[in-house]
Amino acid sequence: MSYVALYRKFRPPVFEDVKGQDHIVTTLKNQIKSDRVGHAYLFCGTRGTGKTSVAKILARAVNCEHPVDGSPCGECDMCKEIAAGNSMNVIEIDAASNNGVENVREIIDEVSYSPTRGKKKVYIIDEVHMLSTGAFNALLKTLEEPPSYVVFILATTEVQKLPITILSRCQRYDFHRITIDTIEGRLKQVVDAEGIQVEERALRYIAKTADGSMRDSLSLLDQCIAFNYGEELTYDKVLNVLGAVDTEVFSKLFSAIYTQDINAALTLLADIVIQGRELSQFVNDFVWYLRNLMLVQASDQMEDVVDISSENLKALKAQAQEVDVDTILRYIRIFSELSSQMRYAAQKRILIEITLIKMCKPQMEKNDEALEDRLRILEQHDEENGKLLKGIQTGQVAVATSGMAPAPGAPTQMVKEKKVLDRAVPEDIKKIVAGWPRILAHMDNPMKTYMQKARLSLGNGDTLQIVLDNKLLADKYSDGAENEELQGILDEAVGKHVTFELKHLEAQQSFEENYVNLQAINFDIVTEE
Ligand SMILES: [Zn+2]
């Protein structure tokens, strides 16, 4: 016997077996029981939430000779015929590949023939949002007044793409994402029925990874079983097959970001890439890790909710004690955004790298949250300096005087003391002008783009004159965060405080132009006193 994918094999045969969509199932069953079946249904919802399964059950239920509590009996001729795929009464159309007017015309032509056997002809149109505008229009009239023996079931993952004229003619049912618990329960039934040994944690991980899709969860389970055929399916094996990353790696990554260690963060990412992990999955899993960290910090009774091994939980708790909840929340937000950006990105690795670098250098970001992070880091340094001071007072730490190497073990913050910068001299300004391309490399866009086109010169005294394209740009960098950022980059380039001035081309040009124009037209103007 050929192999049948689990999600096909365990497709629910009756409404009662459909998981996580009770609100829909109850309504449909009641319609069958009271013989008040509609003529057009619209099933919306994300992939794998049971739209097609429910459509198939409904198609059998409306044709069944003796429905049991609203579900198809599975025993009568019609039930058997449809289940075997031999019935002319159930027509499935995939709109993704049959989206033209002529495809819909075929359906309409066929609709006019009443069924030779059974009660209803059921048209299931999957991915209906893929139909062309012409096809929708062709379908409209039939959808409005179909013959009494016809039922349309339209299914879509993207309901917002449907014309309102279609929406208004259908009974709409929204399929929910399925909860992890519900998926896990169903997976348990499946592995029991298949006689497969699976660690409970492994099932839970698969359920979590499926992200609300029952079909995905069964496909993932299939994949894991195939890789470990005949063996017990453990948590570790599932992690391996699904390309998941160990919690320890996330813990290290978190520490690296939290302590601003860019090297460590990028090295970890490089390892992940070398291991061939799926990067979107990696980012999603990291968001889960952060979420767990947050929950563990919030309460002691989170063992059941965080779903990790006891030794990992211990490590998680230790990490949670060292961080504040605002920082975790900020990280969750950043990585959630990253995750959605990555969906359409070709260079996923670069996106992650940019995010890591930005997070390790909050001074590069200008929003309030980054500011909070900078404050946190400053406070931490203060705390460490405080400790150090205590150490010096009690004689435990050797004092690093200027000009000497810092004592071993002394925090590096002592070395990176903030100093008042000397004022840049004309020589320094000339260096900046000559080395501009190198300085540009330290800028992010859009600043980099604008500064690439800037004209530089030594202004009055020791001032750097930066001429930009227009007034708007010159104003932008004349004060506020942009000005500060530019100041920082310039200062860093020469190690001194650079005084600079922003000008714009328009001012110079317009002055010259106006001057010429004035001379030309001055005499024609009659001034009124
Ligand atoms: Zn039946």
Side-chain angles (χ1 to χ4, degrees):
M1 198 182 105
S2 65
Y3 180 74
V4 181
L6 287 179
Y7 83 85
R8 285 185 190 282
K9 189 167 172 184
F10 287 90
R11 186 157 251 168
V14 288
F15 283 125
E16 287 76 11
D17 287 346
V18 175
K19 303 292 174 190
Q21 313 295 357
D22 296 348
H23 58 301
I24 292 169
V25 164
T26 310
T27 315
L28 293 179
K29 274 164 69 174
N30 286 338
Q31 290 190 353
I32 300 280
K33 281 192 276 188
S34 58
D35 201 19
R36 297 166 71 94
V37 178
H39 66 262
Y41 294 85
L42 176 62
F43 290 175
C44 331
T46 51
R47 47 188 259 110
T49 46
K51 299 184 296 293
T52 314
S53 296
V54 172
K56 284 175 191 259
I57 298 171
L58 182 60
R60 273 182 287 128
V62 295
N63 275 298
C64 178
E65 287 156 23
H66 324 282
V68 182
D69 192 28
S71 272
C73 71
E75 308 279 319
C76 68
D77 286 349
M78 279 314 291
C79 276
K80 285 181 178 165
E81 216 172 274
I82 298 172
N86 297 332
S87 174
M88 303 289 283
N89 283 19
V90 180
I91 300 103
E92 289 181 55
I93 301 131
D94 178 15
S97 45
N98 305 286
N99 61 356
V101 179
E102 63 283 4
N103 300 111
V104 172
R105 290 250 163 80
E106 268 173 41
I107 301 173
I108 296 167
D109 289 346
E110 220 194 300
V111 161
S112 50
Y113 302 104
S114 58
T116 45
R117 283 161 52 73
K119 293 179 255 180
K120 303 265 187 187
K121 272 176 124 171
V122 184
Y123 292 85
I124 303 173
I125 308 181
D126 212 1
E127 301 297 341
V128 68
H129 62 272
M130 304 284 276
L131 288 184
S132 66
T133 313
F136 274 128
N137 288 336
L139 187 62
L140 266 184
K141 193 157 168 47
T142 313
L143 210 53
E144 196 166 33
E145 291 172 348
S148 59
Y149 49 81
V150 166
V151 178
F152 278 101
I153 305 175
L154 314 180
T156 180
T157 48
E158 294 175 62
V159 70
Q160 74 283 359
K161 289 190 180 162
L162 293 187
I164 188 88
T165 43
I166 295 280
L167 292 178
S168 64
R169 284 165 174 77
C170 298
Q171 289 182 30
R172 173 173 169 171
Y173 293 84
D174 286 288
F175 284 66
H176 298 163
R177 269 171 190 279
I178 305 167
T179 63
I180 295 176
D181 282 338
T182 308
I183 294 181
E184 191 190 357
R186 179 66 179 157
L187 293 180
K188 181 88 184 101
Q189 287 177 350
V190 169
V191 292
D192 285 350
E194 292 280 283
I196 299 160
Q197 288 287 313
V198 185
E199 229 181 355
E200 202 176 297
R201 234 169 3 134
L203 278 192
R204 182 137 191 108
Y205 186 81
I206 295 175
K208 198 178 80 182
T209 310
D211 194 25
S213 163
M214 186 67 84
R215 184 175 57 217
D216 283 2
S217 79
L218 288 167
S219 300
L220 292 172
L221 179 63
D222 237 347
Q223 214 178 322
C224 293
I225 293 171
F227 264 80
N228 301 280
Y229 193 71
E231 300 166 29
E232 190 195 356
L233 192 57
T234 62
Y235 180 63
D236 289 340
K237 285 176 186 163
V238 168
L239 289 188
N240 259 329
V241 175
L242 301 185
V245 178
D246 210 1
T247 320
E248 203 190 323
V249 177
F250 293 127
S251 166
K252 282 184 187 161
L253 181 64
F254 182 86
S255 298
I257 300 171
Y258 198 68
T259 58
Q260 320 273 296
D261 189 343
I262 297 185
N263 278 339
L266 292 181
T267 311
L268 271 168
L269 178 63
D271 287 345
I272 297 292
V273 172
I274 290 166
Q275 287 167 18
R277 305 294 192 188
E278 217 290 292
L279 290 180
S280 305
Q281 178 78 43
F282 173 69
V283 171
N284 282 337
D285 286 354
F286 188 54
V287 174
W288 270 94
Y289 178 83
L290 293 169
R291 171 255 191 196
N292 286 348
L293 202 58
M294 178 181 70
L295 292 182
V296 164
Q297 201 188 43
S299 161
D300 281 342
Q301 274 93 45
M302 284 291 168
E303 276 81 353
D304 295 338
V305 195
V306 297
D307 165 43
I308 52 172
S309 68
S310 50
E311 76 251 40
N312 282 338
L313 185 67
K314 226 168 125 189
L316 198 67
K317 279 183 175 167
Q319 186 148 52
Q321 276 172 0
E322 292 169 14
V323 299
D324 62 294
V325 70
D326 286 342
T327 305
I328 302 178
L329 286 175
R330 174 168 129 74
Y331 288 4
I332 290 178
R333 198 151 43 225
I334 292 174
F335 278 96
S336 303
E337 272 168 30
L338 173 64
S339 162
S340 57
Q341 282 172 1
M342 281 173 69
R343 212 171 298 161
Y344 306 105
Q347 298 290 351
K348 295 182 178 175
R349 179 180 179 168
I350 297 177
L351 269 186
I352 303 179
E353 284 171 342
I354 292 171
T355 305
L356 290 178
I357 291 172
K358 272 191 179 167
M359 294 179 81
C360 289
K361 284 200 154 187
Q363 59 268 35
M364 287 170 66
E365 277 186 273
K366 296 168 211 89
N367 55 31
D368 292 348
E369 285 185 350
L371 190 69
E372 273 171 28
D373 225 17
R374 288 160 74 174
L375 282 176
R376 171 183 69 76
I377 291 154
L378 281 176
E379 276 165 15
Q380 266 176 1
H381 288 187
D382 275 356
E383 220 170 81
E384 278 158 23
N385 287 343
K387 273 186 216 155
L388 187 75
L389 200 64
K390 237 182 180 174
I392 293 168
Q393 281 162 352
T394 55
Q396 287 166 336
V397 179
V399 183
T401 47
S402 63
M404 278 172 65
T412 48
Q413 283 76 26
M414 278 300 278
V415 186
K416 283 196 277 178
E417 243 181 332
K418 204 167 179 179
K419 49 187 173 185
V420 180
L421 295 173
D422 292 333
R423 204 177 149 82
V425 295
E427 282 307 307
D428 297 316
I429 304 297
K430 282 179 195 161
K431 261 191 234 165
I432 291 180
V433 176
W436 194 237
R438 188 177 49 81
I439 296 168
L440 286 174
H442 293 273
M443 295 177 187
D444 283 330
N445 278 326
M447 186 198 272
K448 193 174 183 173
T449 321
Y450 302 141
M451 293 301 160
Q452 249 162 0
K453 292 190 225 154
R455 292 189 206 166
L456 306 178
S457 58
L458 178 61
N460 291 333
D462 41 16
T463 306
L464 171 69
Q465 211 171 63
I466 305 175
V467 183
L468 294 173
D469 278 353
N470 56 57
K471 184 172 186 309
L472 219 65
L473 279 179
D475 286 349
K476 181 178 163 79
Y477 289 97
S478 290
D479 65 6
E482 281 89 358
N483 178 271
E484 259 175 53
E485 198 185 345
L486 184 57
Q487 181 80 63
I489 292 168
L490 294 174
D491 290 358
E492 203 167 297
V494 290
K496 294 189 183 171
H497 181 73
V498 178
T499 313
F500 64 96
E501 199 178 7
L502 283 145
K503 303 213 160 171
H504 55 96
L505 281 174
E506 284 165 2
Q508 292 190 334
Q509 274 172 0
S510 58
F511 174 72
E512 285 158 19
E513 279 163 20
N514 286 344
Y515 184 71
V516 174
N517 289 346
L518 271 177
Q519 279 187 322
I521 60 174
N522 204 13
F523 303 107
D524 299 334
I525 297 171
V526 181
T527 47
E528 280 171 331
E529 294 281 80

